[in-house]
Amino acid sequence: MHTTTDNLSWTIFTAAPASGRFALDEIREADRGFRLLDWLEPGVGLGELAGGWDLLAAAFRRKPPVFVRHICPVQTSRPLARSPSDLSGLDQAVENLIPLLEWEQSFSVQTRLLGGGGWPYQRFDVNQRLAAKLQSAGVSLEVSRPQQVLSVVCTTTHAYVGLSAAADNLSDWAGGERRFKREAGQVSRAEFKLLEAIELFRVVFPGGGAALDLGAAPGGWTRLLRTHGMRVVAVDPAELHPSVASDPGVLHLRQSAQKYLPAGREFDIILNDMRLDALDSARLMLLAAGSLKRSGTALVTLKLPGRGTAQAAARSLDLLSQAYWITGARQLFHNRSEITVAMQRTGGR
Ligand SMILES: C[S@@+](CC[C@H](N)C(=O)[O-])C[C@H]1O[C@@H](n2cnc3c(N)ncnc32)[C@H](O)[C@@H]1O
């Protein structure tokens, strides 16, 4: 079992722990001959690619997955003893990958240590050591926006190492784990998922204008819209946090979205984080489409059922595509049993 293997054509894919099997289906759709070797932990799968890494990356560029949050290649693996001597084994693994480097492109190292605690070294130690190795080979380190990533995934028995273009990994963050610091004035944890969606789907704010926030309470998303200078109509039967309710740029309508729509006016941005069945929410977004400006953006979280999860996601996306051009759909790191969808009105480009 403890073997050193080079020239592998494997991948590690990551999803929410409860969505591993949906992610596996998406990988299999992209690579028909894919063979799952192991679940390294819930939601983190290791498998052998039939078509190779470049074909998987190309398939996901054509049809981005919803449940797979992150992929990285595995080109080499080394046994681990969970002792400081592991680090010299990792050095050798990286040496093996140096011929694959794009010399003109910046890189960073992303390490994950799976299987709980007890590691004699930290992620940071591995990142730093391997980054120094690649730098001494002549490539430049760029931690925040690298063009290529050296991914290192350590389990209790093995390290899996691979090099890829950052854009092919589906997320700039190791395992897609995008964490944000709590901000002063933050109203809800839901703010994190909007921040993550804005970053991942590259949502551009108009700099002013009007926004509609459906299912707004307690007001985290409304607060973020206000930080972008937007006036907000916040629709929710529930109370808003006093700091949001007292903001003169917020009009709180204490009613259901069903009652409010169709709105008799147009918005630059429509958000929907309603606690509502995915299909019902998608149907409401069809009603809302007429209230979105042609250049406008809509973002919606679809709450998925425990059974028929992937089917409910697919059917809701189908419904939404009747009125919108879907620019991104993903189960974000900050999504629980839901996915987040970014859209523009059809013909709105
Ligand atoms: C997850 S919370 C929204 C959190 C909010 N995005 C934030 O950042 O604070 C879901 C909200 O949806 C609201 N909701 C559920 N059904 C609704 C409906 N039919 N119309 C309007 N709001 C609804 C609930 O009252 C609840 O406040």
Side-chain angles (χ1 to χ4, degrees), residues 188 190-191 215-221 235-238 255-258 273-275:
S188 62
E191 290 188 26
W221 287 22
V235 178
D236 200 310
Q255 57 188 234
S256 70
Q258 290 87 334
D273 190 24
M274 279 186 288
R275 200 173 301 117

Side-chain angles (χ1 to χ4, degrees), residues 66-86:
V66 174
F67 293 101
V68 180
R69 198 177 267 165
H70 181 269
I71 47 172
C72 59
V74 176
Q75 289 126 354
T76 179
S77 105
R78 290 286 180 282
L80 291 181
R82 277 213 186 205
S83 79
S85 66
D86 291 345

Side-chain angles (χ1 to χ4, degrees), residues 300-321:
V300 51
T301 57
L302 297 171
K303 320 290 177 211
L304 300 174
R307 280 163 181 256
T309 313
Q311 292 80 350
R315 286 183 60 203
S316 306
L317 289 171
D318 265 1
L319 259 184
L320 289 170
S321 61

Side-chain angles (χ1 to χ4, degrees), residues 16 18 38 54 58-59 64 82 89 110 112 122-123 134 152 156 162 169 183 186-187 216 244 286 307 312 314 333 348:
D38 203 1
D54 289 341
R82 277 213 186 205
Q110 296 185 349
R112 282 184 279 168
Q122 305 290 314
R123 276 185 319 154
L134 292 187
V152 182
T156 49
N169 290 12
E183 259 186 44
Q186 187 173 334
V187 163
V244 181
L286 296 185
R307 280 163 181 256
F333 179 59

Side-chain angles (χ1 to χ4, degrees), residues 248-269:
V250 176
L251 172 65
H252 182 199
L253 301 176
R254 294 197 64 169
Q255 57 188 234
S256 70
Q258 290 87 334
K259 186 134 189 261
Y260 179 69
L261 292 171
R265 56 178 290 197
E266 285 200 323
F267 295 93
D268 299 276
I269 288 196

